[in-house]
Amino acid sequence: MIFLKTTPFLAAKDPGPSTRVALFGCPYDGTSSYRPGARFGPSAIREASQVLESYDPRTGSDLEGRDFCDLGDVEISPGDKADALSRIREAARKVLDMRQIPAALGGEHLITLPLVEAVLENYPDLVLLQFDAHLDLRNKYLGDALCHATVMRRVCDIMNPTRILRVGARSGILEEYEFARRYGTLNMTTDGSGLRDWIRDRPLYITVDMDVLDPAFCPGTGTPEPGGLTYCELETRLSQLQGVRVVGWDVVELAPHWDPSNISSIVAAKIVRTLLAITTVC
Amino acid sequence: MIFLKTTPFLAAKDPGPSTRVALFGCPYDGTSSYRPGARFGPSAIREASQVLESYDPRTGSDLEGRDFCDLGDVEISPGDKADALSRIREAARKVLDMRQIPAALGGEHLITLPLVEAVLENYPDLVLLQFDAHLDLRNKYLGDALCHATVMRRVCDIMNPTRILRVGARSGILEEYEFARRYGTLNMTTDGSGLRDWIRDRPLYITVDMDVLDPAFCPGTGTPEPGGLTYCELETRLSQLQGVRVVGWDVVELAPHWDPSNISSIVAAKIVRTLLAITTVC
Amino acid sequence: MIFLKTTPFLAAKDPGPSTRVALFGCPYDGTSSYRPGARFGPSAIREASQVLESYDPRTGSDLEGRDFCDLGDVEISPGDKADALSRIREAARKVLDMRQIPAALGGEHLITLPLVEAVLENYPDLVLLQFDAHLDLRNKYLGDALCHATVMRRVCDIMNPTRILRVGARSGILEEYEFARRYGTLNMTTDGSGLRDWIRDRPLYITVDMDVLDPAFCPGTGTPEPGGLTYCELETRLSQLQGVRVVGWDVVELAPHWDPSNISSIVAAKIVRTLLAITTVC
Amino acid sequence: MIFLKTTPFLAAKDPGPSTRVALFGCPYDGTSSYRPGARFGPSAIREASQVLESYDPRTGSDLEGRDFCDLGDVEISPGDKADALSRIREAARKVLDMRQIPAALGGEHLITLPLVEAVLENYPDLVLLQFDAHLDLRNKYLGDALCHATVMRRVCDIMNPTRILRVGARSGILEEYEFARRYGTLNMTTDGSGLRDWIRDRPLYITVDMDVLDPAFCPGTGTPEPGGLTYCELETRLSQLQGVRVVGWDVVELAPHWDPSNISSIVAAKIVRTLLAITTVC
Amino acid sequence: MIFLKTTPFLAAKDPGPSTRVALFGCPYDGTSSYRPGARFGPSAIREASQVLESYDPRTGSDLEGRDFCDLGDVEISPGDKADALSRIREAARKVLDMRQIPAALGGEHLITLPLVEAVLENYPDLVLLQFDAHLDLRNKYLGDALCHATVMRRVCDIMNPTRILRVGARSGILEEYEFARRYGTLNMTTDGSGLRDWIRDRPLYITVDMDVLDPAFCPGTGTPEPGGLTYCELETRLSQLQGVRVVGWDVVELAPHWDPSNISSIVAAKIVRTLLAITTVC
Amino acid sequence: MIFLKTTPFLAAKDPGPSTRVALFGCPYDGTSSYRPGARFGPSAIREASQVLESYDPRTGSDLEGRDFCDLGDVEISPGDKADALSRIREAARKVLDMRQIPAALGGEHLITLPLVEAVLENYPDLVLLQFDAHLDLRNKYLGDALCHATVMRRVCDIMNPTRILRVGARSGILEEYEFARRYGTLNMTTDGSGLRDWIRDRPLYITVDMDVLDPAFCPGTGTPEPGGLTYCELETRLSQLQGVRVVGWDVVELAPHWDPSNISSIVAAKIVRTLLAITTVC
């Protein structure tokens, strides 16, 4: 079987014909360069989801009864990167084949690459919104062309870089900034204006690297970068996506063991709740 | 004796005829549904108070010489809820009988019920200000009608729900939101305008659930809810209560062991210092 | 449904006609007097089980293929003790009705009472082996007759105290020691001689309170008591029970959050593995 | 007043004419060279004492009703070593003047010097038993002649080195080992034989540096040294002192914050309980 | 040798004729009154610097190639305050003699005194900018005239108090506030206007006490004071100093072990990066 | 340059013609299947070494003046396993070319493979002593033939399995145990007899996986396995190797962040000190 059984995310239904969003964990962190542990992200998010209510007073929506399921975790071999990425790609394809939206719980940011590969096969005109402290646009990092620090560059190999927009980026090397500026899509303006204009009615993939938040709000991540968004700022941005045609998403780089207070896991679970609210119907 | 001796809160005087505010700890957390440990709140607050100055430059007031005492902790049997609540009610009555203001260090939020019961006996026209991320207005929670998630509903059983105002509420189920809206007192407006108008000269009880703060500012609590107040926002709100007739207050839901950096305890102690400044005279 | 779905224990099979042992979690810790958190024990044990091999070189047995299942967690209301105990008793009865051995993951020690109640209904000549630092023989504790510190006294209310044997006891009050000595069964001699003689062919219930271990080996427990068994000593004792007719068992008082190194959870999981090896066949 | 009020140690009585042992905290750690924090030792020991029973089944003794009190903490200026030592000496003298046994909770090991100074004034034929991983016999350490690493050398300046016996010593520099060997009193033999012969009926001072234990049993200490005693070995040694004329003792170098599981504090509190049992009568 | 070799700060060059800024660690925390451990600050900052990029997208500057070196740590005797301060003064003098800017990594705040003493010898018209939650203007603290709580008062003994400006001050006793107000320099206005006007072209020393930040952003410090700056606010303030003639600076009071998530060390390292960017040229 | 500069291990000399042992760090943990973080091992061991004395009273030897150096860390790309192993092999070769003994600080256990490869080139009759809880003899693990769980099987591909002896092995799957038994070298007998007989005068490589210790003594490791050696037992075994011809060694699988008390790092540093004592001369 391709998925390992786990405690399900809050209010998840059993998979069925009406399932619209399929959650699955991708516990891979093999290329983490600083603080590993994102492999424990999926189980931490699921456990933390128990502390949340299914009802969201901001939007009036309730997860209870929504059409999403939790498939469990993709089985990963931590030391075999190519195999891990291949399995994640297969998992996403399987979900897409059933006309469901793949929604992945990372794991490190590299998992976004196979996910986007699979989604692109179905939505060639895909646009991508990256919430992230880092550009992840290096061509190579410590001699490695395929890792968490190069993942968005690899995504740019398979889709037009002008179709990627960023929120919260504040770290990278000169080469990355030059690359991003060349394609005119460095960072979304702070007030979010024009976001829907930019997306238009194109299918959207959302990747949320938890380090887009300031470390005060999410200390449990692999490469904390001071100076980020508050939780409220991030939630506001995500809420602005209500009504957009989202066809896939992931929440990555939660490394729960670096935060013994566990608030990072709860924050990640609440972001997942918000993304589920946006991408499901009741 | 009803109170167990403890290290006293910063600058507390021995009890005496001029005592206006009587602090006491209520180390009960028997109904915590997620992360227990609020029973350690009182001792953590007292220990953390040592890091604070008695002088508050914002208001120019100095705790040193103020007319408050620290009675120690109510002796609690962790597994006997009815008995625990009864002892807390007795402690509050004893304080009120001496014409002092009861000021309780929690413990979980359920302790507010016996405290309000005792205060209501003396002040039937009481109004209540609830700083809290959660409405705590469920009628039952996991089959239990008397727990931290139902406490304000039980308070509504004994006082008119329209006499309760909230700050920072952002979590609950639909039933709770409907209940709160029915009585028109959901949340205080963000800029605090009209707060004094609402209170008028009625006696006020203040309950501060530490989770009203964003988890970044107070990770050490039982049910952290992302998206809350900053410490400065909370302090500003509390300072607006200077001059109001406060007749009782509590600070609850500090669960210190979930925050190894211990900043949550220091934050709680500073909130207690501010409430003491508001409710004492020199 | 009575059981909440969870990530299963290592190598657990789906429930079926050949199931001999049925694991289930009892995440209750409402009467913990010192350090709460045993409610997180079941999920911590299951997660930690992933680090273990299914093969045990000491005995040559392999969990893979053994006839046991993991039913998930009993749904518990943390603040309603009577209800929680009733649900646990029902869960055990349900398991026993299917001619399976109930095997509970605590939770605090009080859960042993409803478990033994259910087992006694099927095995009136039950004997009990208690691995525990504490006698748990108080008649009342802090005014409460039904809590983790009185649980074995309550068990003695329903079965003859002479049918209980202890290993590792080293803490209690005079009253408890007098009670235990009166029935001549204080502590098993250190070298384990005569254990099988004492059990004979009577059905055996085993309760393992993690604090029987020295705190060095299991810091993550509610009431650590220095001077306990090493892990090897405990494993040796348990192995001596191979071949005995075990009809029920529990592993309680793991409070994982007090041990950030998480070795306590791994130790608990390995004890569960050993007990499963003793009570299943392949 | 010379002592600051604190939560008292388990079962301590109010000071009075029958008081035989007077506990007091010495929260000083100004010369710690590696991991500071022993200043939090006294409050951690007192809080941890609450988890212990007053009854000790090994000896059958019960602290409840014993003739000891807890005076609270000596007020210490962390940055003024000479003043801190002077205040500790005064505290011990005050206790001795009332014909009580001074029993100090450290704090770092340097506090033993002023304590022994005061005791020597009353008992010039004093002998000393040092439970410690380190010899603490350097003449200077990092240029400082008066610090935790030189404290026993300074003690040797005021009492004959041959009157000092050690248990558990396993670390030092060559100079210290040569000094200790020169006076023929390096380490007590492992089986404890001859200990009473050595003490005879001379008055005894006992200093227990928590690092005499292996770090597995007491990780929360300033300079952990692998290869130490188990808790049981230490308890056995202390129990052998029953009946000896003990005239003063201290338990030092608990640095509680380095052990988030808090077992070190509980171990220290149990050692204090044992020493109280030896030095009080009921 | 006066400096102990350490892992160097990110991108530091070997010392040489073109070196403009010389980093060195001052691992002293002997007078910490609350939570010690600032002695581990220098190594934590250096290790955390590895997670940062050398390129700063805000300013477009890159540390790589900048003219600064890392000399390692001043060798400190933790228990000998006078000696420790003397060694730090010597280290600063040595750096100044080579016409380099001394840049110190603390250590507690008291280390600022010998650093300013050395800088004043070269720049008698020095002005000082203090980022700090506390005024540190007591004349004595717990009987000690020379400690972290009196350090700025001692600085006022050697330079005119009107030449000191503060940012973020929010704690002190009445005496300190009166002293500060008397010299008209309490706190910089919040919007930073007039800062350059105040400095004019005078040589500037900058001292950053990490507790100027709100504890949410830097929990790992000795005396956390709720209500402080966000990281972004601090960075903005520091950036306003670009182009000012900075002749010395320090970053103090990081106590890394109080923050197991380690974000405090990363924040401190990023502040050091910003200060290096301001004070070096490429 | 191949080595990154670091804070050196206690008492290390600068590299030179008389250097006999060359320490270097291998911060690689890319295949960790459970708890990553061994990449932080080298820096944690070096920092912890500062708490140790250079003098060892058991043997009378002193590291000060011994002929060993610390080269710093091999630069590693975390996500490129082949490259990482290649760089470690090169580092070992470079050391061997200078007729020095390579002594590696891990890092995960997989680093032993390239180290043994390099040593075998110089010593074809090498024998190997493995201190380890796990056999690490799987042929594949989660689909990966080259990872921490297969490393000793890969070593068996390049040297005769009968030339490998184990200490402390207590975990593996049936396939591994069968492999080990087939070559008759499963585990050294407990009393160490015959060890020298077995080695004879053949060149010896020693690999110490920290998990050979019981988790109580070393909680900070990737795959803790209850039931291991005490620290004293391990030290005794290592001391029995005095005088043997050791030509290479490593200490691996310290994952320091899983042990906030940091005793694991100190234990690892002391093991390194012992191995340095055995393999150097003064």
Short mmCIF file of all heavy atoms in Angstrom, two decimals, chain B residues 237-257:
data_model
loop_
_atom_site.label_atom_id
_atom_site.label_comp_id
_atom_site.label_asym_id
_atom_site.label_seq_id
_atom_site.Cartn_x
_atom_site.Cartn_y
_atom_site.Cartn_z
N ARG B 237 -5.15 47.58 27.22
CA ARG B 237 -6.54 47.34 27.62
C ARG B 237 -6.71 47.36 29.13
O ARG B 237 -7.65 47.95 29.67
CB ARG B 237 -7.02 45.99 27.08
CG ARG B 237 -7.21 45.96 25.60
CD ARG B 237 -8.16 47.08 25.19
NE ARG B 237 -8.40 47.03 23.77
CZ ARG B 237 -9.30 46.26 23.21
NH1 ARG B 237 -10.08 45.50 23.96
NH2 ARG B 237 -9.44 46.26 21.91
N LEU B 238 -5.80 46.69 29.81
CA LEU B 238 -5.91 46.64 31.26
C LEU B 238 -5.73 48.02 31.87
O LEU B 238 -6.43 48.40 32.82
CB LEU B 238 -4.88 45.65 31.84
CG LEU B 238 -5.11 44.19 31.48
CD1 LEU B 238 -3.96 43.33 31.98
CD2 LEU B 238 -6.42 43.67 32.08
N SER B 239 -4.81 48.79 31.31
CA SER B 239 -4.56 50.12 31.85
C SER B 239 -5.78 51.02 31.70
O SER B 239 -5.99 51.94 32.50
CB SER B 239 -3.37 50.76 31.15
OG SER B 239 -2.23 49.96 31.34
N GLN B 240 -6.61 50.74 30.69
CA GLN B 240 -7.82 51.54 30.51
C GLN B 240 -8.81 51.33 31.64
O GLN B 240 -9.80 52.06 31.74
CB GLN B 240 -8.47 51.19 29.17
CG GLN B 240 -7.64 51.60 27.96
CD GLN B 240 -8.15 50.98 26.66
OE1 GLN B 240 -8.89 50.00 26.69
NE2 GLN B 240 -7.74 51.54 25.54
N LEU B 241 -8.55 50.34 32.48
CA LEU B 241 -9.47 50.05 33.57
C LEU B 241 -9.10 50.80 34.85
O LEU B 241 -9.79 50.67 35.87
CB LEU B 241 -9.51 48.55 33.83
CG LEU B 241 -10.03 47.73 32.64
CD1 LEU B 241 -9.83 46.26 32.87
CD2 LEU B 241 -11.50 48.05 32.40
N GLN B 242 -8.02 51.55 34.81
CA GLN B 242 -7.62 52.36 35.98
C GLN B 242 -8.80 53.23 36.40
O GLN B 242 -9.41 53.92 35.58
CB GLN B 242 -6.41 53.23 35.59
CG GLN B 242 -5.89 54.11 36.71
CD GLN B 242 -5.13 53.29 37.75
OE1 GLN B 242 -4.32 52.45 37.41
NE2 GLN B 242 -5.41 53.54 39.03
N GLY B 243 -9.15 53.19 37.67
CA GLY B 243 -10.22 54.04 38.18
C GLY B 243 -11.58 53.36 38.20
O GLY B 243 -12.51 53.84 38.85
N VAL B 244 -11.70 52.24 37.50
CA VAL B 244 -12.95 51.49 37.52
C VAL B 244 -13.07 50.76 38.87
O VAL B 244 -12.06 50.46 39.50
CB VAL B 244 -12.98 50.49 36.33
CG1 VAL B 244 -14.08 49.47 36.50
CG2 VAL B 244 -13.10 51.24 35.03
N ARG B 245 -14.31 50.48 39.31
CA ARG B 245 -14.48 49.82 40.60
C ARG B 245 -14.35 48.30 40.44
O ARG B 245 -15.34 47.60 40.24
CB ARG B 245 -15.85 50.16 41.18
CG ARG B 245 -16.07 49.59 42.59
CD ARG B 245 -17.11 50.35 43.37
NE ARG B 245 -18.40 50.24 42.75
CZ ARG B 245 -19.43 49.54 43.26
NH1 ARG B 245 -19.29 48.91 44.40
NH2 ARG B 245 -20.59 49.49 42.65
N VAL B 246 -13.13 47.80 40.54
CA VAL B 246 -12.89 46.36 40.39
C VAL B 246 -13.09 45.70 41.74
O VAL B 246 -12.48 46.11 42.73
CB VAL B 246 -11.46 46.11 39.86
CG1 VAL B 246 -11.22 44.61 39.73
CG2 VAL B 246 -11.24 46.81 38.54
N VAL B 247 -13.89 44.64 41.79
CA VAL B 247 -14.18 43.99 43.07
C VAL B 247 -13.70 42.54 43.14
O VAL B 247 -13.92 41.86 44.14
CB VAL B 247 -15.69 44.04 43.38
CG1 VAL B 247 -16.17 45.49 43.48
CG2 VAL B 247 -16.48 43.29 42.30
N GLY B 248 -13.05 42.11 42.07
CA GLY B 248 -12.50 40.76 42.08
C GLY B 248 -11.82 40.50 40.75
O GLY B 248 -12.18 41.12 39.74
N TRP B 249 -10.82 39.65 40.74
CA TRP B 249 -10.17 39.33 39.46
C TRP B 249 -9.39 38.03 39.58
O TRP B 249 -9.06 37.56 40.67
CB TRP B 249 -9.29 40.46 38.95
CG TRP B 249 -8.25 41.02 39.87
CD1 TRP B 249 -8.41 42.09 40.72
CD2 TRP B 249 -6.88 40.58 40.02
NE1 TRP B 249 -7.24 42.34 41.39
CE2 TRP B 249 -6.28 41.44 40.98
CE3 TRP B 249 -6.12 39.57 39.45
CZ2 TRP B 249 -4.95 41.31 41.36
CZ3 TRP B 249 -4.79 39.43 39.82
CH2 TRP B 249 -4.22 40.30 40.77
N ASP B 250 -9.12 37.45 38.42
CA ASP B 250 -8.27 36.26 38.38
C ASP B 250 -7.43 36.27 37.11
O ASP B 250 -7.77 36.91 36.13
CB ASP B 250 -9.12 34.98 38.46
CG ASP B 250 -10.10 34.81 37.30
OD1 ASP B 250 -9.66 34.81 36.13
OD2 ASP B 250 -11.31 34.66 37.57
N VAL B 251 -6.32 35.56 37.18
CA VAL B 251 -5.44 35.33 36.02
C VAL B 251 -5.27 33.83 35.92
O VAL B 251 -4.74 33.21 36.84
CB VAL B 251 -4.08 36.04 36.19
CG1 VAL B 251 -3.14 35.69 35.05
CG2 VAL B 251 -4.27 37.55 36.29
N VAL B 252 -5.74 33.24 34.84
CA VAL B 252 -5.82 31.77 34.78
C VAL B 252 -5.16 31.18 33.53
O VAL B 252 -4.78 31.90 32.61
CB VAL B 252 -7.31 31.31 34.80
CG1 VAL B 252 -7.99 31.74 36.09
CG2 VAL B 252 -8.05 31.84 33.59
N GLU B 253 -5.01 29.87 33.56
CA GLU B 253 -4.56 29.07 32.40
C GLU B 253 -3.09 29.26 32.04
O GLU B 253 -2.69 28.96 30.93
CB GLU B 253 -5.44 29.32 31.16
CG GLU B 253 -6.87 28.84 31.33
CD GLU B 253 -7.03 27.32 31.35
OE1 GLU B 253 -6.04 26.61 31.14
OE2 GLU B 253 -8.16 26.85 31.58
N LEU B 254 -2.28 29.75 32.98
CA LEU B 254 -0.84 29.64 32.77
C LEU B 254 -0.45 28.20 33.05
O LEU B 254 -0.68 27.70 34.16
CB LEU B 254 -0.08 30.57 33.73
CG LEU B 254 1.44 30.39 33.70
CD1 LEU B 254 2.03 30.92 32.40
CD2 LEU B 254 2.10 31.07 34.89
N ALA B 255 0.13 27.54 32.07
CA ALA B 255 0.62 26.16 32.24
C ALA B 255 2.13 26.21 32.00
O ALA B 255 2.61 25.98 30.90
CB ALA B 255 -0.08 25.21 31.28
N PRO B 256 2.87 26.54 33.04
CA PRO B 256 4.26 26.98 32.84
C PRO B 256 5.18 25.95 32.20
O PRO B 256 6.11 26.32 31.48
CB PRO B 256 4.73 27.33 34.26
CG PRO B 256 3.81 26.61 35.18
CD PRO B 256 2.49 26.51 34.46
N HIS B 257 4.92 24.67 32.42
CA HIS B 257 5.89 23.67 31.93
C HIS B 257 5.88 23.52 30.42
O HIS B 257 6.76 22.89 29.87
CB HIS B 257 5.63 22.34 32.61
CG HIS B 257 5.99 22.37 34.06
ND1 HIS B 257 7.29 22.42 34.48
CD2 HIS B 257 5.24 22.40 35.18
CE1 HIS B 257 7.32 22.46 35.80
NE2 HIS B 257 6.09 22.45 36.26
#
